[in-house]
Amino acid sequence: MSLTEIVALLGLNLALIIAVMLGLWLLSLRLKDVSFIDAVWPMGMLLLALATFPRTDGDPIRKWLLIWLVAVWALRLGWHLFTRWRRSGADGRYVEIVERMEKTRSWSFGKTALLVVFLPQAVLAWLTALPVQLGQVAYAPAVGWMGWAGAVLAVIGIGFESVGDAQLAAFKKDPANKGKVMDTGLWRWTRHPNYFGDACVWWGLYLIAAETGPGLWAIAGPLFLTFTLTRWSGIGITEKATAKTKPGYADYVRRTSAFIPWPPKP
C-alpha cells in the first residue's frame, strides 16, 4: 500500500471508531452512566483490527496472528469489565469526573460524557490499536523470530492479566476480605498485574507489527498505553481511590512493586 492509501485507511478507521463512540454516547444519555466505556475500550480495538483485515494485503500469517491475539484479549477483558459494571453499577471514578465538571465548569452530563469520555476514548483507542492496524499493511517480510517472540509475550500478557483478574474477583467474593488489601498471588509481586499484563499484550502485538516498515511506526500505541497505565489514568487514579477505603493500603504500596513484578520488600 502507498502512503496515501495507509493514511486513508487510518482516517477511515478513526471515523469508524468515532461513529461507534457517538452511538454509545447517546446510550449513555439514556442510562445516565458512562462506566460501560471500560468494557467498550478493548472491543473498540478489536473492531479496528477487524475493519482493517479485508482492506489490506499484508502477510496472511501476520494478519491472522494479530487478529486472533487481539480477539482473545479483547473478548476476555471486555466481558470481564462488562460483567463487573453490570454487577457493581456506576464507577465512582466516572461519577467524580461528571460531578467535578458540573461544579467547576457548569457542564451538563451529556457535554461531559461526550467531550471528556467518549470522543477522547475514540481517539485513544485508535492510537493504542495502531499495531493491529499498521501491522496488517505490508506483505513482506514473513513473520520472523521477533514476531513470534511478540506473540509469546502477548500470550503471557493475556494469561497474566486473566489470572490477576480472577484472583482479585475470588478475593472480593469472600465477605471475610471486605476492607482488606489483596496481597496474595500475582498481587504479592505487583500492585497491578492487570495493567502489567495489558502492557505485555500490546508490546507483543507491536513486535509482531514492527517486522514490517509500516508496523514499525506503530510504536506510539504501546508507548501511549504504558504511559497512561503508569503515569496518567491508570495507577494514580486507582490507587488514590483505593487508599481512601483500605487503611492497610499505604503499607502495601511501600512493600510492593507498582507495575513490573518484583519480590516484595520485607
Side-chain angles (χ1 to χ4, degrees):
M1 296 179 73
S2 67
L3 178 59
T4 301
E5 290 172 323
I6 294 173
V7 170
L9 171 74
L10 294 177
L12 287 172
N13 280 356
L14 179 59
L16 171 65
I17 194 67
I18 288 175
V20 170
M21 289 296 184
L22 287 175
L24 292 169
W25 168 67
L26 293 175
L27 176 61
S28 77
L29 298 181
R30 291 175 61 92
L31 299 176
K32 289 299 179 182
D33 182 16
V34 301
S35 305
F36 63 87
I37 187 64
D38 285 346
V40 170
W41 167 264
M43 300 306 295
M45 289 187 273
L46 173 57
L47 174 64
L48 290 169
L50 292 172
T52 302
F53 190 87
R55 295 150 55 206
T56 52
D57 297 317
D59 174 58
I61 295 177
R62 177 174 286 104
K63 291 178 66 172
W64 279 111
L65 194 57
L66 290 169
I67 289 291
W68 278 109
L69 286 171
V70 76
V72 171
W73 169 80
L75 292 171
R76 201 282 319 172
L77 181 58
W79 179 251
H80 169 73
L81 295 174
F82 177 76
T83 54
R84 187 180 71 180
W85 169 66
R86 292 289 292 171
R87 180 177 62 251
S88 304
D91 189 317
R93 296 171 302 163
Y94 291 112
V95 172
E96 183 180 347
I97 289 172
V98 171
E99 291 178 347
R100 183 172 69 248
M101 297 304 289
E102 182 180 11
K103 291 178 181 177
T104 60
R105 300 193 182 185
S106 299
W107 282 16
S108 66
F109 173 87
K111 186 174 183 178
T112 300
L114 179 64
L115 299 182
V116 179
V117 181
F118 287 95
L119 285 183
Q121 290 277 16
V123 176
L124 299 179
W126 172 85
L127 175 64
T128 304
L130 283 176
V132 295
Q133 298 176 80
L134 292 177
Q136 298 190 58
V137 170
Y139 187 82
V143 179
W145 69 267
M146 188 168 73
W148 291 115
V152 171
L153 180 59
V155 170
I156 290 173
I158 293 170
F160 205 92
E161 183 178 41
S162 301
V163 170
D165 283 341
Q167 289 176 340
L168 183 60
F171 180 83
K172 288 183 174 181
K173 192 175 293 185
D174 186 347
N177 293 325
K178 187 175 182 179
K180 294 182 179 180
V181 177
M182 171 65 169
D183 60 356
T184 57
L186 296 181
W187 299 82
R188 181 173 182 268
W189 299 85
T190 166
R191 303 200 299 270
H192 300 279
N194 48 346
Y195 292 165
F196 176 74
D198 230 12
C200 287
V201 171
W202 283 95
W203 279 107
L205 293 172
Y206 171 69
L207 289 177
I208 298 170
E211 289 187 318
T212 70
L216 190 63
W217 293 97
I219 194 170
L223 280 176
F224 167 75
L225 181 68
T226 305
F227 169 76
T228 193
L229 291 176
T230 59
R231 302 295 179 186
W232 187 21
S233 62
I235 291 176
I237 292 178
T238 301
E239 296 198 338
K240 182 180 178 182
T242 306
K244 293 178 180 178
T245 59
K246 297 185 178 180
Y249 198 71
D251 184 57
Y252 176 62
V253 168
R254 180 194 61 79
R255 67 177 188 270
T256 311
S257 171
F259 188 66
I260 298 174
W262 199 256
K265 297 176 183 177

